Amino acid sequence: MGTNTVNGEQIDRQTRILEAALDLLSRHGISGVSMRAVAREAGVALGLVNYYYDDKTSLIRAALRRVDEHDLLLVAPDPSSAPDEQLRKALWRVAAADLLTTRYLSLRLHLWALAQADEDYAQINAAAFDRYIDGLAALVSNAQPRMSWDECRARAADIVVIQNGMWLTSLLGVDKESIKRSISRTEEIAFAPPQAQDTADTKSSTSLQEN
């Protein structure tokens, strides 16, 4: 039991440290994040932050991975629901109340700016973006089994453009009806019939397999 308690406390402390780093990043950008500032924000000793993370760079990397994990949950499959319902839930999940907050949206802006300013962070961001696109494309593919993977991924990319635009404009106070219309547009993209070429390719592939 003692080991479990220690591990639990360790995870809790690391969570507090990463959340503190993300809070500072959302309010002040990368310039406002330092090991000392994070320790103060998290309410832990500076030595504890240094124990878990070698430097500011490793701390920011860990924080970015935490955001990546959160994003993947938005497109996580739900085996208890039908494929169509799984996709619809994912499309509406991006408009959850906890995402349309100044804190979260400001964090996204700072993360995008950070990716533009630093090659190392840009690679982390690009990899995370690809994983999100693949997760969303997988949901589209499950709901549209006749559609080619390339088309599923292209539609996922189009959907993300709308989602990111919705997040950005939400900072300006876009009304709820506009948000609903944006999500309805992503549904139209996701559930539109496969393109003719995709259908033809699928039939051709099926025919070859039968022969």
Side-chain angles (χ1 to χ4, degrees):
M1 182 174 291
T3 301
N4 290 337
T5 301
V6 171
N7 289 341
E9 290 178 353
Q10 183 178 21
I11 293 172
D12 180 62
R13 287 171 178 170
Q14 284 189 283
T15 297
R16 284 163 57 191
I17 290 170
L18 291 179
E19 286 299 320
L22 291 172
D23 281 338
L24 289 171
L25 190 58
S26 71
R27 298 201 307 266
H28 308 296
I30 189 64
S31 62
V33 180
S34 68
M35 304 294 271
R36 189 174 300 278
V38 169
R40 184 168 55 251
E41 185 77 14
V44 301
L46 175 60
L48 189 62
V49 179
N50 290 322
Y51 173 77
Y52 290 125
Y53 305 102
D54 294 333
D55 51 28
K56 174 178 174 177
T57 300
S58 63
L59 174 59
I60 295 297
R61 285 174 181 163
L64 291 179
R65 285 193 291 271
R66 187 169 182 81
V67 173
D68 180 24
E69 292 170 359
H70 178 272
D71 286 350
L72 289 179
L73 290 177
L74 298 177
V75 292
D78 178 11
S80 66
S81 301
D84 284 14
E85 186 62 22
Q86 290 184 48
L87 178 54
R88 286 194 174 89
K89 285 181 178 179
L91 296 177
W92 282 90
R93 206 172 282 145
V94 299
D98 61 324
L99 299 186
L100 300 182
T101 63
T102 300
R103 185 262 188 190
Y104 181 79
L105 297 172
S106 177
L107 174 62
R108 302 303 307 197
L109 283 174
H110 283 299
L111 291 178
W112 290 333
L114 188 59
Q116 293 297 313
D118 187 284
E119 180 62 29
D120 187 31
Y121 297 139
Q123 292 178 2
I124 294 174
N125 184 70
F129 181 75
D130 280 341
R131 283 190 287 271
Y132 180 83
I133 290 287
D134 284 340
L136 183 54
L139 293 179
V140 174
S141 179
N142 289 337
Q144 298 255 45
R146 294 193 307 157
M147 190 183 296
S148 72
W149 175 252
D150 286 344
E151 177 64 15
C152 290
R153 209 171 189 281
R155 293 194 184 195
D158 290 347
I159 288 169
V160 170
V161 170
I162 295 176
Q163 291 177 340
N164 287 342
M166 181 188 70
W167 279 344
L168 284 172
T169 52
S170 291
L171 280 171
L172 304 176
V174 174
D175 62 89
K176 293 181 179 180
E177 291 305 314
S178 293
I179 291 174
K180 289 180 180 179
R181 286 193 295 272
S182 294
I183 298 176
S184 293
R185 177 56 186 145
T186 65
E187 287 185 314
E188 292 173 4
I189 293 172
F191 289 102
Q195 293 182 0
Q197 185 61 44
D198 288 333
T199 303
D201 289 345
T202 301
K203 290 180 177 178
S204 176
S205 177
T206 301
S207 177
L208 288 174
Q209 290 176 0
E210 290 176 349
N211 293 334

